[in-house]
Structures are given as structure tokens and as C-alpha cells.
């Protein structure tokens, strides 16, 4: 699958949440777009990513 | 032909010169603003031209005030700004700076949203002054905006923004500026706007702490209705504080993005 433009592959199907854990990204500080659809936070646990999924993860850091 | 002097319609002879009109109406004026631009030169005036004549040190009368404050606004730009309502989510280093810039360029309406009060650690980068300590940020910022442009319509919401009230608080806005400090709040607001308020645009910010070069703070268009400002990485934390210069750079990227969205220059 493509994650932020980079090719990544996994042994098995993984969820969005598992991808975020793998990338060491806090799921409460992101916007996740899968195949151009913005996902709700509640979908991260269940939404399975496919080998041809296009994923964009936009992370927020603190400060303002 | 008709021209406008201090926003009032005036009949002028065809081919009249700018300095000739000035001599007739306000000979002691020392600042001449011609169609939004300060000039010392003479011009031949055209139908619907706008002249603002200002005497330095003179406090304008109430009916001249709006014309003089607006004199540097490019007329076609100003008319579009005046129609627009912008929500500012968080009135800290980002939000207070974004709001002041948008007020100065003559935005029509601002919805100012913050639950907190001004305290001393805000003054290193936020627009407030010592006299505002203890005041609600919504009230303090309203006061500052009124002092530089009393013609902005202001709605104040002193509430903590969370998933339960975002749609209601920002329902009347066209563009939402995400200006929170807390990254979880940043994500909740951005996700809610992108998923449930698809007729709005959001201009968010991430990464502006420290004293790195200002040149890494950029504006990116992530998707049709989502813009992200910042360097994307420099988080506020122990040993890496938020400082006025980079925070104001990011804030004014946000304000400029709002302006460009309004003008259709995306």
C-alpha cells in the first residue's frame, strides 16, 4: 500500500490503528485519509487496509 | 463624473486632476490615498475613483472614520472581505494574531472562540497587554479589534470546543481557522470539519515552536477544503518554547490563506 506516498507492505491485512501503531503515531492527533475518504476516529480499529490502498496520515504537533 | 472623496460621492469635472480636487476639498491634507495607494503624484481622475484625504494628527469625525480606516483597502478586495465570516478556534499565539490581521484588512465578521482568560505566560507571543490579565480572551481580543477596526462584526464564544459543539459554534462561518495549542483538539476540530461540515474550509496549523529558520513554515493545500500551515514537526515542549516570531509567521500564513481563499486564489 502507499502511505504518504511511500510503498509499504505487511505480512497480513492490518487495520488503520495497527498501521498508526507501527508508525509510532498517536491516533488521537491525526487526520487519516484512505482512498480520498477522511475516516472517523472510531473507524481506525476496524477499517482494514488493502494492498492497493492509498493512505495519507497528517499528524498534528502541539503549539499555538 | 462621480468620484468618491473620503467615501462620499462628489461630482468632479471630466478630466479633473487629483491635486486640484484635493486643493478644493481639503488643502491641508498631508496624506493622499488614491484607489488604495498612497501617492504624492498627480493623476487625472476617472469615474468612480476613490480618494481619501487625511490630515496627520487629526482625529477623524465618526462619519469619516470608516473611509479613512478603509483607505488602504483595495476596493474590489474589500467588498469581498466584507461579505465573509471567519471562525477562530483558539485565541492564543495563533488565533489572536490571525484575528488582528483579518480585522486590519477589513474582514466582515469574526467568531472568536476560546474558554480561557489572559495570563502572564501568554504575553510572550499573544496580542494581549498587561491590562488584559484576568480578562476572558474573547473580551480582550474584542477590545483590541475595536481599537484598530471598529467596523468588524464580532461574535464571542467563551466555550471549550469539543466534538459535541463544533458544528453549532461554527455553523455561521465560511472558513474556520484551527488555532489551538493542544494537538488532540487540533485533530478533533479538523476531522469534524472535514467529515461533517463539507461546505466549509479549514486552515489548520502544526509545527511552529522554537527559533529555527522561519523559512520552513509553509502553507500546504492538503485537499480541496483543508490547508495546513507550519513546519510539520517542531512541537512545543520543555526546552523548546513557543516564541513570538515563528508563531506570528505561522499565524499570518493562516491569515493570508484565508484572504486567498476569499479571493479565489487557491
Amino acid at each position: 500500500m502507499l502511505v504518504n506516498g511511500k510503498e509499504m507492505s505487511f505480512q497480513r491485512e492490518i487495520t488503520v490503528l495497527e498501521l498508526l501503531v507501527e508508525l509510532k503515531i498517536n491516533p488521537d492527533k491525526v487526520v487519516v485519509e484512505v482512498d480520498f475518504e477522511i475516516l472517523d476516529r472510531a473507524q481506525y480499529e476496524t477499517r482494514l487496509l488493502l494492498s492497493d490502498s492509498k493512505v495519507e496520515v497528517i499528524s498534528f504537533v502541539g503549539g499555538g | 463624473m462621480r468620484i468618491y472623496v473620503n467615501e462620499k460621492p462628489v461630482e468632479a469635472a471630466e478630466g479633473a486632476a487629483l491635486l486640484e480636487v484635493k486643493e478644493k476639498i481639503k488643502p491641508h491634507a498631508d496624506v493622499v490615498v488614491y484607489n488604495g495607494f498612497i501617492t504624492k503624484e498627480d493623476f487625472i481622475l476617472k469615474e468612480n475613483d476613490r480618494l481619501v484625504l487625511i490630515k496627520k494628527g487629526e482625529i477623524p469625525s465618526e462619519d469619516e472614520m470608516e473611509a479613512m480606516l478603509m483607505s488602504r483597502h483595495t476596493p474590489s478586495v474589500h467588498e469581498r472581505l466584507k461579505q465573509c465570516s471567519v471562525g477562530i478556534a483558539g485565541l492564543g499565539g495563533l488565533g489572536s494574531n490571525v484575528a488582528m490581521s483579518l480585522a486590519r484588512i477589513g474582514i466582515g465578521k469574526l467568531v472568536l472562540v476560546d474558554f480561557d482568560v489572559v495570563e502572564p505566560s501568554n504575553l510572550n507571543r499573544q496580542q494581549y497587554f498587561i491590562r488584559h490579565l484576568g480578562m476572558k480572551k474573547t473580551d480582550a481580543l474584542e477590545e483590541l479589534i475595536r481599537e484598530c477596526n471598529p467596523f468588524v462584526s464580532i461574535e464571542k464564544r467563551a466555550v471549550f470546543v469539543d466534538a459535541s459543539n463544533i458544528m453549532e459554534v461554527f455553523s455561521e462561518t465560511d472558513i474556520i481557522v484551527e488555532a489551538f495549542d493542544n494537538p488532540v483538539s487540533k485533530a478533533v476540530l479538523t476531522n469534524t470539519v472535514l467529515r461533517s461540515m463539507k461546505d466549509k474550509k479549514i486552515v489548520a496549523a502544526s509545527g511552529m515552536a522554537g527559533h529555527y529558520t522561519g523559512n520552513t513554515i509553509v502553507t500546504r493545500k492538503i485537499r480541496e477544503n483543508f490547508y495546513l500551515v507550519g513546519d510539520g514537526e517542531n512541537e512545543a515542549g520543555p526546552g523548546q518554547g513557543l516564541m513570538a516570531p515563528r508563531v506570528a509567521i505561522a499565524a499570518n500564513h493562516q491569515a493570508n490563506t484565508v484572504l486567498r481563499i476569499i479571493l479565489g486564489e487557491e
Side-chain angles (χ1 to χ4, degrees):
Chain A
M1 67 187 74
L2 268 182
V3 180
N4 289 355
K6 278 191 204 124
E7 195 73 53
M8 288 186 81
S9 57
F10 297 92
Q11 302 278 317
R12 56 180 183 85
E13 281 190 327
I14 64 164
T15 65
V16 168
L17 187 63
E18 286 168 324
L19 173 69
L20 294 173
V21 169
E22 175 73 27
L23 296 171
K24 300 188 172 61
I25 291 174
N26 182 331
D28 293 320
K29 300 179 182 176
V30 287
V31 170
V32 179
E33 186 186 86
V34 177
D35 299 327
F36 304 105
E37 178 203 355
I38 304 282
L39 299 189
D40 185 67
R41 172 70 183 82
Q43 295 171 280
Y44 297 177
E45 278 88 345
T46 52
R47 177 67 176 259
L48 284 171
L49 295 169
L50 309 172
S51 60
D52 62 349
S53 292
K54 266 192 77 179
V55 185
E56 292 287 332
V57 180
I58 297 109
S59 302
F60 287 103
V61 300
Chain B
M1 67 177 176
R2 171 169 297 182
I3 60 168
Y4 293 86
V5 179
N6 292 357
E7 289 306 306
K8 287 203 191 90
V10 170
E11 276 307 312
E14 205 69 43
L18 184 156
L19 292 178
E20 179 189 326
V21 172
K22 179 202 153 194
E23 279 311 308
K24 212 181 290 175
I25 296 177
K26 196 163 182 166
H28 60 297
D30 40 27
V31 178
V32 177
V33 191
Y34 174 49
N35 290 342
F37 181 72
I38 290 203
T39 182
K40 299 217 180 295
E41 285 171 51
D42 204 4
F43 286 90
I44 299 298
L45 298 174
K46 303 179 304 295
E47 180 89 27
N48 293 323
D49 274 353
R50 287 178 143 82
L51 270 187
V52 177
L53 305 173
I54 296 173
K55 172 68 190 157
K56 286 187 186 174
E58 189 179 275
I59 303 294
S61 64
E62 205 163 312
D63 62 326
E64 276 189 331
M65 181 75 87
E66 185 162 20
M68 293 196 181
L69 292 179
M70 284 171 31
S71 65
R72 296 298 286 274
H73 299 158
T74 309
S76 59
V77 170
H78 180 59
E79 279 141 33
R80 293 163 81 170
L81 285 172
K82 197 88 189 155
Q83 304 302 316
C84 201
S85 170
V86 179
I88 313 283
L91 305 178
L94 293 171
S96 64
N97 279 295
V98 172
M100 290 302 283
S101 281
L102 292 177
R104 286 189 191 279
I105 60 173
I107 196 79
K109 181 176 176 184
L110 290 172
V111 180
L112 304 177
V113 187
D114 198 302
F115 70 97
D116 214 349
V117 298
V118 179
E119 45 93 355
S121 83
N122 300 146
L123 301 194
N124 78 326
R125 67 190 189 285
Q126 306 184 14
Q127 285 279 351
Y128 311 106
F129 298 112
I130 285 172
R131 69 170 193 268
H132 295 123
L133 295 177
M135 266 174 94
K136 280 183 187 161
K137 287 185 174 181
T138 46
D139 293 333
L141 194 53
E142 178 188 41
E143 180 194 292
L144 289 171
I145 290 169
R146 295 259 177 263
E147 284 175 20
C148 71
N149 185 352
F151 303 100
V152 179
S153 156
I154 294 174
E155 181 184 331
K156 297 180 288 180
R157 301 296 299 264
V159 295
F160 185 87
V161 172
D162 60 25
S164 72
N165 61 8
I166 289 169
M167 291 181 65
E168 185 266 318
V169 169
F170 296 101
S171 62
E172 300 293 308
T173 62
D174 304 302
I175 302 169
I176 297 162
V177 174
E178 180 285 300
F180 292 137
D181 186 50
N182 176 337
V184 175
S185 295
K186 286 175 179 287
V188 168
L189 177 66
T190 306
N191 278 305
T192 305
V193 173
L194 293 178
R195 283 185 53 81
S196 308
M197 304 171 83
K198 291 184 178 168
D199 59 325
K200 317 237 184 260
K201 302 201 181 223
I202 183 161
V203 182
S206 177
M208 76 296 297
H211 45 81
Y212 306 96
T213 171
N215 297 336
T216 51
I217 293 174
V218 295
T219 302
R220 290 190 296 145
K221 183 170 186 172
I222 305 290
R223 53 191 274 144
E224 197 42 44
N225 51 350
F226 177 22
Y227 296 79
L228 186 61
V229 165
D231 66 21
E233 56 178 346
N234 285 302
E235 178 149 33
Q240 176 159 294
L242 292 160
M243 299 179 75
R246 285 187 109 237
V247 173
I249 290 170
N252 281 298
H253 263 268
Q254 289 185 289
N256 194 45
T257 300
V258 169
L259 172 60
R260 290 176 55 76
I261 290 171
I262 295 170
L263 297 179
E265 291 167 354
E266 300 173 55

